[in-house]
Every structure is written in structure tokens, then in C-alpha cells.
Amino acid sequence: MFIGPLLHDEIKEQLETHQESSYTLLKQEGIKLYFQTDHENQEEATEIAKKIIKEQVSDVLLFNVRTEEYF
């Protein structure tokens, strides 16, 4: 059973509707999702995103959240 796109939709929804910080999906390349945030502290924004994904989407996913500039 392939659930990748369903999880992408759930991750996108959870991050974009989060109250504490704003995350906006910029692009998707394969299984990678690229978000922009308005949070001033990028390290803190990374930790918040990890927490949201783990608590709201799935705690069994393997994922990586980085603060690097991709564009």
C-alpha cells in the first residue's frame, strides 16, 4: 500500500494550519517537501515542525527537517 501522497497532504495541512508558526509549502520534489516559515528563529522553527509531524501525523515516520536555504 502506497501512502506517500496521503502523508504529504497531512504534513502540509498540519504545518500550514499551525497556530504558533506559519509554514508555507514552496515546492515538492519527489518525496521532499520544502516549506518557508515566518518564524524568526530557524532552529526553533525546525524543532516545532519536527514536533508537529511527530505528534500530529505519525511518530513512526523517518523524516529530516533542516533550516538550509534551498532557493
Side-chain angles (χ1 to χ4, degrees), residues 1-68:
M1 180 173 166
F2 183 69
I3 57 173
L6 297 176
L7 288 178
H8 282 172
D9 292 345
E10 183 65 21
I11 290 169
K12 179 179 180 262
E13 180 181 339
Q14 291 298 327
L15 288 175
E16 290 188 333
T17 60
H18 190 257
Q19 301 295 323
E20 197 172 323
S21 295
S22 172
Y23 297 87
T24 304
L25 181 67
L26 296 177
K27 69 178 180 176
Q28 179 177 341
E29 290 180 349
I31 62 169
K32 295 179 181 179
L33 302 175
Y34 295 86
F35 288 89
Q36 180 177 12
T37 182
D38 65 353
H39 202 286
E40 292 179 18
N41 182 327
Q42 294 297 304
E43 295 299 322
E44 191 173 303
T46 299
E47 291 305 314
I48 292 169
K50 287 179 184 178
K51 184 178 177 183
I52 293 168
I53 294 168
K54 186 171 185 119
E55 292 178 359
Q56 303 296 324
V57 180
S58 175
D59 63 347
V60 297
L61 287 178
L62 296 174
F63 61 90
N64 189 7
V65 178
R66 299 186 289 186
T67 60
E68 300 168 6

